[in-house]
Amino acid sequence: MLTFTTLAVLGVDDKTLDNLLLDVAKGDLSAMEELYNQTKTGIYSFALSFLKNPEDAKDVLHNTYLSIWVSAHMYETVGKPMAWIITIAKNHCYKALRDRKWKEENEKENEPATEDFAKDRDIKSTIWQYLNELGEDERRIIVLHAVAGFKHREIADILNIHLSTELSKYRRGIKKLKNSLISGGAFNE
Amino acid sequence: MNKDNKNIENRIKNDAVGFTPDIWEEVEKEIKNGKGEVVALPGEKRKGRIKGIISTIAAALVLISITTYAIINYDRIDKKIATTVYMEVNPQIELSLNAYNKVLKVTPHNKDGEKVLGEMKLTDCSLDVALNSIIGSMYQKGYLNDHSNSVLLSVKNDKSKDARQVCYSALKTFEDLKKHSDVGKDFPSAAVVHVLDDEEEAKKLAEENKISVAKADFIMAIRDRGIKRSFEELAKLSVNDLNLIFEGLDDHDMHEYRKDEYYGPIGYYGKASESDYIGTEKAKEIALKDAGLKEADLTDLDVDLDYEMGDMVYDVEFEIGEIEYYYIIDAIGGSIFSSNKVTPNFKLPTQPTTPDLTYSSKPSTSFEAEVSSKPQTSSKENSSSKVNTPSNKIDAVISPQRAIEYAIIHAGVDKDEVRGAEAEIDMELHEKYHYDVEFSAKGYDYEYEIDAISGAVLKSEKEFDD
């Protein structure tokens, strides 16, 4: 039986999200909670694909929802609520990258950012290990397509690349994943 | 999307559901404490009340100006060519439309185009009426039939959004044509539309190859999407055959026209006729029978129509475990031009020479490719092409790892900086057996073709990884 969260990942419909955002704009906390439940996996996965660090991705997740809460009144219904939400998450990711760079340059003792997130004890996933090995865009594109449910053109717009570039990186990334799974004996798990 | 890709995506999704942390309590607490930061979105501004009023007045003024301009200049707008639609089946026709998608002019570009248009008066018609009439005429005159049912449209407008809108309207017209008209009843039509980006380049290639602009544009588009044939080879094919090759692309499905949805720049409706050829099912059956295998036993299977050295062929590839089979089947006669079985009986070495490849046990032995060649001549009449498969049995090709190493040496990069290296053997009719090698290093993506026997670099490409 599918759990609610799995259902949520399977295809959050835009109309529902639209309505939730409008309710959040009015200060409806229960609408905010439902919006959170329906979108958290997509946002977290996207942040993880960007930052490759579970702690940083969790911070982005946290900050994205706070930003949604205070910015929801600025959302204009154009039928693409998830794209609006992911744009907020993307901006937080860029901020996190800038902060990380500043820390690396300025702090004397700091732990290097964990880039091999697949070794994190909370993330036990063979396929995400292999995702980690892909190029930056390849990984982000696949996650946005597979988890957040965006279409290719939407992904090209979010990442500000040409559609043909997006398609070829998607194709290449998926092919590499498949080959990694096969050579790792994990294809038929 | 094919079954494997779908499975891979489902796994990514399901694992993500499992490890996504639940932070609602923290978020809720901070919301109640009044925390939160507005992150500026591109082009958004906060509107104060006064600013809102000013914006409303400004918008009203703009609307009045536009309306006034439109009224004064209606005649000028009405007669200005906003969109050009290049159309090809074999008859080549160009439609010039105004900003309201009304036809200003129709120009045939060959004798067949003239025959189709005949005495039709299409000026001032809407696009869908014009398309209906032209398609109807093509069916009546036999240019569209059950052997060749593909229509190609290339749409040029300075604003890509408007071009996409015209593409969408055209695809909708085809859908309606099939549903409501007698024409197309027995011969389901197939349409491919494309937003024409580079009209100058398309016209240049069209002239050089003596083909239409629509066809030149479509060939450029499918080559961009991964079809590895030269422009000149593809220019020889009919629109229907090009459409069949387009259907073989991995991401073909994502371009399908769906109601209320068209993202462009390329879209299609319907399916190209395959009735001149034996069909994908038959090609698959021939290959599996030859290999002595059943479809249910396979771990992967792919059948695509392709064009090689003057022949339309089916590329049939399948896997059972680690054994890969490659067949090339004559698309007309069904004879097997080539069959290859690749049996990896090697283990990768324990000391990696490139990172990111996982290794398991013993040092490598040679990688055997058993090649059984069954040279056949084409069963097409008047074909001047000869199939030229390798006739010697090849005992060994270099290992995939060796191919990667040759590519890295050629690229002049440090092996420690290499990421995502992979090599896949490619055995195509009439070509040297080679490895397709890909890797990234220092912000660049590299692609190589390495001769599978000698290790020589056959082709190399490098592009910035943006």
Side-chain angles (χ1 to χ4, degrees):
Chain A
M1 189 175 104
L2 291 172
T3 63
F4 175 77
T5 48
T6 310
L7 279 169
V9 165
L10 286 178
V12 182
D13 82 276
D14 284 337
K15 200 163 158 47
T16 304
L17 278 186
D18 239 23
N19 290 337
L20 285 172
L21 273 171
L22 293 174
D23 287 339
V24 168
K26 293 173 195 161
D28 184 342
L29 195 54
S30 62
M32 184 68 195
E33 187 178 3
E34 192 170 338
L35 182 88
Y36 163 83
N37 283 325
Q38 294 213 15
T39 58
K40 66 174 179 176
T41 304
I43 295 172
Y44 181 73
S45 301
F46 173 67
L48 193 61
S49 74
F50 224 95
L51 301 169
K52 297 169 77 172
N53 178 296
E55 281 308 310
D56 289 350
K58 193 173 162 187
D59 287 342
V60 164
L61 184 70
H62 182 269
N63 293 334
T64 298
Y65 285 110
L66 294 185
S67 293
I68 290 171
W69 177 254
V70 299
S71 311
H73 68 283
M74 289 198 281
Y75 171 70
E76 289 169 8
T77 301
V78 289
K80 302 286 172 201
M82 196 61 192
W84 186 82
I85 290 168
I86 281 289
T87 305
I88 294 177
K90 190 178 77 168
N91 288 339
H92 278 297
C93 285
Y94 282 134
K95 201 157 169 285
L97 282 173
R98 285 194 297 270
D99 290 346
R100 186 193 284 173
K101 195 163 182 275
W102 186 91
K103 272 187 196 166
E104 283 169 6
E105 285 168 2
N106 292 284
E107 287 182 6
K108 286 181 189 169
E109 286 176 20
N110 60 300
E111 286 179 26
T114 307
E115 290 225 330
D116 190 358
F117 64 71
K119 289 188 179 151
D120 186 283
R121 60 170 180 270
D122 292 330
I123 299 184
K124 290 186 182 61
S125 167
T126 305
I127 200 161
W128 276 80
Q129 277 180 38
Y130 295 132
L131 257 179
N132 189 36
E133 292 166 9
L134 299 182
E136 303 286 349
D137 274 347
E138 288 169 354
R139 183 173 56 252
R140 291 166 195 172
I141 286 165
I142 288 173
V143 167
L144 282 170
H145 195 258
V147 187
F150 285 107
K151 297 188 177 69
H152 288 288
R153 171 156 280 282
E154 291 172 320
I155 296 169
D157 285 344
I158 288 167
L159 297 180
N160 202 25
I161 55 178
H162 289 300
L163 177 61
S164 54
T165 305
E166 189 273 351
L167 287 169
S168 66
K169 288 189 177 194
Y170 171 82
R171 260 201 311 270
R172 215 161 44 216
I174 282 281
K175 194 174 161 192
K176 285 180 190 173
L177 274 180
K178 185 179 168 185
N179 290 341
S180 297
L181 286 168
I182 290 172
S183 58
F187 186 65
N188 290 317
E189 276 177 9
Chain B
M1 193 191 307
N2 75 36
K3 202 174 67 167
D4 282 347
N5 291 358
K6 190 81 192 147
N7 288 340
I8 288 170
E9 287 209 353
N10 283 342
R11 284 173 67 172
I12 292 170
K13 201 162 54 179
N14 292 337
D15 284 2
V17 168
F19 63 58
T20 298
D22 188 1
I23 59 165
W24 172 247
E25 278 185 25
E26 297 160 36
V27 170
E28 187 186 23
K29 191 174 160 190
E30 299 222 12
I31 285 173
K32 286 176 175 171
N33 289 340
K35 296 257 175 88
E37 176 193 342
V38 174
V39 177
L41 300 180
E44 272 201 312
K45 295 175 189 173
R46 282 184 171 281
K47 291 177 191 167
R49 198 154 171 259
I50 294 174
K51 282 185 188 173
I53 292 169
I54 293 173
S55 300
T56 308
I57 293 172
L61 285 172
V62 167
L63 184 59
I64 291 166
S65 305
I66 288 174
T67 311
T68 311
Y69 178 82
I71 290 167
I72 291 169
N73 292 286
Y74 177 78
D75 212 43
R76 211 185 306 163
I77 292 170
D78 196 42
K79 290 194 169 47
K80 186 181 169 203
I81 296 175
T83 303
T84 306
V85 178
Y86 297 97
M87 191 170 172
E88 166 147 18
V89 172
N90 172 29
Q92 295 167 18
I93 293 170
E94 179 183 327
L95 295 160
S96 303
L97 312 177
N98 70 7
Y100 307 104
N101 288 341
K102 288 273 188 326
V103 176
L104 293 173
K105 197 169 64 170
V106 184
T107 313
H109 282 295
N110 62 2
K111 289 240 178 300
D112 293 313
E114 286 172 13
K115 275 189 200 163
V116 165
L117 289 174
E119 300 298 320
M120 275 195 271
K121 302 268 184 268
L122 296 174
T123 312
D124 288 334
C125 285
S126 61
L127 173 64
D128 63 319
V129 168
L131 283 178
N132 261 286
S133 306
I134 292 170
I135 300 299
S137 176
M138 287 191 183
Y139 270 112
Q140 277 159 11
K141 292 176 168 66
Y143 291 108
L144 285 172
N145 50 59
D146 60 348
H147 291 275
S148 175
N149 67 347
S150 297
V151 180
L152 188 52
L153 297 171
S154 207
V155 178
K156 172 69 189 165
N157 186 303
D158 289 339
K159 295 176 191 161
S160 70
K161 185 181 157 195
D162 291 347
R164 290 209 296 270
Q165 184 54 44
V166 172
C167 287
Y168 172 76
S169 301
L171 288 171
K172 192 165 181 325
T173 301
F174 276 92
E175 185 192 38
D176 291 340
L177 183 74
K178 184 159 175 340
K179 274 188 205 165
H180 302 300
S181 165
D182 282 341
V183 175
K185 178 175 68 168
D186 297 320
F187 310 120
S189 59
V192 181
V193 299
H194 184 242
V195 172
L196 175 51
D197 287 321
D198 195 340
E199 192 179 21
E200 203 179 307
E201 180 68 9
K203 280 183 171 172
K204 177 169 158 268
L205 287 167
E207 202 178 307
E208 283 170 9
N209 292 274
K210 297 189 183 6
I211 58 175
S212 69
V213 171
K215 199 166 163 186
D217 175 46
F218 186 50
I219 292 171
M220 290 198 298
I222 60 175
R223 290 185 77 237
D224 278 347
R225 278 158 182 79
I227 297 293
K228 291 178 189 174
R229 295 282 162 247
S230 71
F231 189 96
E232 292 71 26
E233 278 183 291
L234 293 172
K236 293 173 193 163
L237 298 180
S238 68
V239 163
N240 201 70
D241 281 346
L242 286 171
N243 196 6
L244 283 168
I245 288 173
F246 168 55
E247 284 176 5
L249 286 174
D250 285 344
D251 63 359
H252 177 254
D253 285 350
M254 62 148 294
H255 302 295
E256 186 179 7
Y257 160 78
R258 289 181 182 85
K259 196 171 154 46
D260 297 330
E261 207 175 278
Y262 173 73
Y263 287 103
I266 195 166
Y268 76 89
Y269 172 78
K271 192 172 172 352
S273 169
E274 226 176 315
S275 58
D276 274 349
Y277 306 119
I278 60 173
T280 49
E281 284 304 309
K282 186 71 185 165
K284 183 175 64 177
E285 191 189 302
I286 291 168
L288 287 173
K289 187 177 171 193
D290 186 74
L293 295 171
K294 290 186 193 149
E295 190 171 346
D297 299 329
L298 305 180
T299 45
D300 196 10
L301 170 67
D302 199 26
V303 186
D304 293 318
L305 201 60
D306 199 357
Y307 179 70
E308 297 194 27
M309 292 290 285
D311 293 311
M312 289 299 280
V313 299
Y314 286 99
D315 284 329
V316 185
E317 300 176 10
F318 47 91
E319 292 175 15
I320 179 162
E322 287 189 333
I323 304 173
E324 298 171 2
Y325 294 80
Y326 300 84
Y327 277 79
I328 299 177
I329 309 237
D330 175 16
I332 296 179
S335 43
I336 298 173
F337 282 161
S338 163
S339 66
N340 299 293
K341 176 179 162 187
V342 177
T343 315
N345 62 349
F346 66 98
K347 297 276 185 241
L348 295 166
T350 51
Q351 290 187 7
T353 52
T354 53
D356 295 321
L357 296 174
T358 54
Y359 296 94
S360 49
S361 54
K362 299 173 187 174
S364 65
T365 55
S366 66
F367 177 86
E368 281 186 13
E370 179 190 313
V371 175
S372 71
S373 64
K374 296 181 185 176
Q376 302 272 352
T377 53
S378 168
S379 58
K380 263 196 327 198
E381 271 187 25
N382 302 319
S383 167
S384 58
S385 68
K386 290 266 193 235
V387 167
N388 185 22
T389 49
S391 54
N392 299 323
K393 186 170 175 188
I394 297 171
D395 292 324
V397 295
I398 62 172
S399 68
Q401 191 204 357
R402 187 65 62 206
I404 290 170
E405 286 176 358
Y406 285 137
I408 290 171
I409 291 166
H410 185 272
V413 297
D414 193 324
K415 61 188 181 204
D416 291 330
E417 289 169 314
V418 170
R419 293 284 177 269
E422 64 168 18
E424 187 176 317
I425 198 155
D426 188 329
M427 293 173 168
E428 288 209 25
L429 193 61
H430 312 301
E431 290 188 13
K432 280 174 182 277
Y433 294 151
H434 63 270
Y435 281 98
D436 289 319
V437 177
E438 293 179 1
F439 58 89
S440 303
K442 287 166 85 169
Y444 286 91
D445 287 337
Y446 293 83
E447 289 185 15
Y448 275 83
E449 283 183 15
I450 302 289
D451 188 312
I453 314 291
S454 68
V457 172
L458 300 175
K459 211 191 278 187
S460 66
E461 275 180 26
K462 172 183 169 182
E463 68 176 17
F464 186 62
D465 181 5
D466 58 357

